[in-house]
Amino acid sequence: MPGLGLTLGLSLTWLSLIVLIPLAALLLKAAGVGPAGWWAIISDARVFAALKLSFGTALLAAFIDTFIGALIAWVLVRYRFPGRRVFDAFIDLPFALPTAVAGIALTAIYAGNGWIGQWLALVGIKVAYAPAGIVMALLFIGLPFTVRTVQPVLETLHVEHEEAAASLGASRFTTLWRVLLPQVLPAMLTGFALAFARGVGEYGSVIFIAGNLPYVSEIAPLLVVIKLEEFDYGGATVIATLMLATSFLILFLINLLQRRLARGQSH
């Protein structure tokens, strides 16, 4: 291939400068804390609560976004209605909107005196300044990933497959389960992985609506910032390394499942 050496060298250099070298520096800094320092940070109840909250809310939001995003993509692909293009353009709004602006807007809406929050408060539901607010913020910033990964796959599917299934006596549920879902599921898993990865490290849109109460609504990225402000660089790098390792493990399992599904479809 012409220019392989040059392009490969530039690609590896750029990847090293942007990804590999910063990650290596993070791991080296965390390794310098020592086993005793690692254990002191890992066994800290506040750190464990923050990590549990960050990963739990990210997984829940990504799971909900996966199904809602698939439904929205189905509507955009299969139906024609007034305002469809405007609705389609709004899906990408979280990509362009600053996360801090999104957090402030969600807080204003779902606070106890907000447009929606005041009605939820009447039935005892608290969204803002609670873990539910974190999930709401992550739903907002993760939805475009799930919609945009499923939408192109749905556009390539032929209606004839569904008509053939119906002509053979298959119900709508059977057609969905046996014909459509196997073809869309790999894209749904990709959207889930992207939404989860974005949600785990999300900071700007969450800190305004979370309330940031230790042991209750304090996320791990905020705890990293707090450690840095306290000049506890070792603690910050250990927490960041734990987030990196856990995220990598979950994404690895998702990619492994994707490959098995793709291999099963090819057979």
Side-chain angles (χ1 to χ4, degrees), residues 23-261:
L23 290 181
L26 174 66
L27 296 177
L28 289 175
K29 184 67 176 180
V33 176
W38 268 80
W39 177 251
I41 296 172
I42 293 174
S43 59
D44 186 10
R46 183 179 180 182
V47 174
F48 180 79
L51 290 172
K52 180 181 177 181
L53 180 65
S54 292
F55 284 99
T57 53
L59 283 171
L60 178 60
F63 183 79
I64 297 174
D65 268 339
T66 299
F67 290 94
I68 299 300
L71 179 61
I72 294 176
W74 176 270
V75 171
L76 291 175
V77 171
R78 292 301 177 91
Y79 299 102
R80 296 294 182 269
F81 52 90
R84 173 180 168 273
R85 293 184 180 275
V86 176
F87 183 68
D88 190 18
F90 272 122
I91 298 298
D92 296 326
L93 185 61
F95 286 149
L97 190 67
T99 55
V101 176
I104 295 172
L106 291 172
T107 304
I109 293 174
Y110 289 101
N113 57 351
W115 293 348
I116 301 177
Q118 60 181 336
W119 301 107
L120 295 177
L122 296 177
V123 294
I125 299 177
K126 184 179 181 181
V127 176
Y129 315 121
I134 301 176
V135 175
M136 189 63 64
L138 298 184
L139 287 173
F140 177 79
I141 59 100
L143 183 62
F145 293 99
T146 58
V147 175
R148 295 313 184 199
T149 52
V150 175
Q151 188 174 357
V153 178
L154 289 176
E155 291 175 347
T156 61
L157 297 182
H158 299 289
V159 183
E160 289 79 5
H161 296 168
E162 303 165 45
E163 295 175 348
S167 65
L168 294 174
S171 64
R172 291 186 177 182
F173 178 79
T174 302
T175 302
L176 174 65
W177 185 258
R178 301 293 297 274
V179 178
L180 296 177
L181 188 59
Q183 301 181 71
V184 178
L185 188 56
M188 293 176 64
L189 287 175
T190 300
F192 175 87
L194 293 174
F196 167 75
R198 173 68 187 275
V200 168
E202 179 61 23
Y203 178 81
S205 64
V206 173
I207 57 172
F208 291 99
I209 196 172
N212 308 320
L213 297 176
Y215 307 100
V216 178
S217 58
E218 184 180 56
I219 58 174
L222 175 60
L223 193 56
V224 172
V225 174
I226 293 175
K227 294 288 186 182
L228 291 175
E229 291 176 347
E230 296 174 349
F231 302 101
D232 185 5
Y233 300 117
T237 54
V238 169
I239 297 173
T241 303
L242 288 173
M243 294 182 62
L244 175 65
T246 307
S247 300
F248 179 80
L249 177 61
I250 295 176
L251 293 176
F252 174 78
L253 294 176
I254 294 174
N255 289 330
L256 183 62
L257 180 59
Q258 281 182 302
R259 291 186 178 183
R260 289 188 176 181
L261 289 173

